[in-house]
Amino acid sequence: KQEVTQIPAALSVPEGENLVLNCSFTDSAIYNLQWFRQDPGKGLTSLLLIQSSQREQTSGRLNASLDKSSGRSTLYIAASQPGDSATYLCAVRHYEAGNQFYFGTGTSLTVIP
Amino acid sequence: NAGVTQTPKFRVLKTGQSMTLLCAQDMNHEYMYWYRQDPGMGLRLIHYSVGEGTTAKGEVPDGYNVSRLKKQNFLLGLESAAPSQTSVYFCASSYSIPGLVIETQYFGPGTRLLVL
């Protein structure tokens, strides 16, 4: 069974700092990996999707990388802002029958003004 | 476009009662999913559908049933609610390009369910 882990569970940084969030998964047989943002009491918003054949994706101040062989992905946020405060989740879509999605438990980010 | 909508937003049930959660999407997506989110557990897939009239079990299907009679709607039913089903339920939809697996999941705002 695929297991997805996100470390740290919580992170607090001063505004303007660059930061990295980590995601690891146990089975490399994935179609893709997706990073989401979740604000309190809200649904999830997709930030970046990386196909299994890709190494990274960029969107504005966000850069996500994928090392499928080692079962790792990172989300890099440049020049953090208070508006970046949210929970960030990663999810992998697995090859197994049913192509299920597996989510990590998330990293709660607080950017201090 | 409204995207993915969920009804109701919040509900309180007594143990043994039944209810249906409705998910609707207006993006003509083939795939739809029901997740539950619990503290410290992340999101777990309950059931999913790859097209109208088809459903399949996810990671935690016990105690739930689903139906996809119309492409735009995906219903999640609880026949006899239990306190362990207290959770936040999210619906999502996605598309896929034939020959490629390229899909982004779009999520609804969630339904908070409390079972007493």
Side-chain angles (χ1 to χ4, degrees):
Chain A
K1 177 179 175 287
Q2 177 75 271
E3 293 186 3
V4 182
T5 304
Q6 292 186 247
I7 296 173
L11 182 63
S12 183
V13 300
E15 181 178 0
E17 191 164 295
N18 302 327
L19 59 102
V20 175
L21 306 180
N22 298 294
C23 173
S24 62
F25 46 96
T26 55
D27 191 333
S28 61
I30 64 170
Y31 276 127
N32 55 48
L33 183 145
Q34 198 164 5
W35 282 93
F36 293 89
R37 169 187 173 132
Q38 185 176 27
D39 293 288
K42 305 287 187 180
L44 281 69
T45 301
S46 177
L47 298 173
L48 289 164
L49 181 145
I50 309 176
Q51 298 299 324
S52 62
S53 58
Q54 297 177 320
R55 299 285 292 183
E56 64 179 298
Q57 281 284 341
T58 298
S59 176
R61 294 183 294 108
L62 306 179
N63 176 275
S65 68
L66 174 64
D67 184 340
K68 200 174 73 164
S69 60
S70 67
R72 294 179 182 177
S73 176
T74 61
L75 179 67
Y76 174 83
I77 302 177
S80 59
Q81 303 171 357
D84 295 330
S85 297
T87 296
Y88 292 81
L89 298 101
C90 68
V92 296
R93 189 167 182 261
H94 202 234
Y95 271 138
E96 69 182 18
N99 298 320
Q100 293 194 24
F101 290 91
Y102 292 91
F103 278 79
T105 52
T107 294
S108 177
L109 173 67
T110 301
V111 180
I112 303 167
Chain B
N1 289 347
V4 180
T5 58
Q6 293 183 231
T7 309
K9 289 184 171 54
F10 177 71
R11 184 77 182 268
V12 179
L13 289 179
K14 295 181 180 179
T15 297
Q17 287 185 317
S18 63
M19 78 163 294
T20 299
L21 283 67
L22 171 64
C23 176
Q25 51 95 5
D26 60 1
M27 297 173 283
N28 201 35
H29 286 172
E30 288 294 330
Y31 304 148
M32 296 187 74
Y33 317 87
W34 275 108
Y35 294 91
R36 60 178 289 173
Q37 185 177 35
D38 303 292
M41 298 290 290
L43 274 80
R44 292 179 292 170
L45 184 64
I46 304 171
H47 286 279
Y48 65 99
S49 169
V50 299
E52 181 178 327
T54 70
T55 63
K57 295 180 179 180
E59 185 182 357
V60 289
D62 294 340
Y64 305 95
N65 56 77
V66 288
S67 64
R68 184 111 181 258
L69 299 180
K70 294 182 179 180
K71 186 177 184 179
Q72 64 267 34
N73 294 337
F74 195 28
L75 278 63
L76 177 71
L78 286 73
E79 292 185 348
S80 179
S84 62
Q85 294 177 305
T86 293
S87 187
V88 181
Y89 292 86
F90 288 100
C91 176
S93 69
S94 67
Y95 65 92
S96 182
I97 299 175
L100 295 172
V101 183
I102 301 177
E103 54 184 81
T104 297
Q105 295 182 70
Y106 296 83
F107 279 78
T111 294
R112 295 182 180 276
L113 177 64
L114 174 63
V115 183
L116 302 176

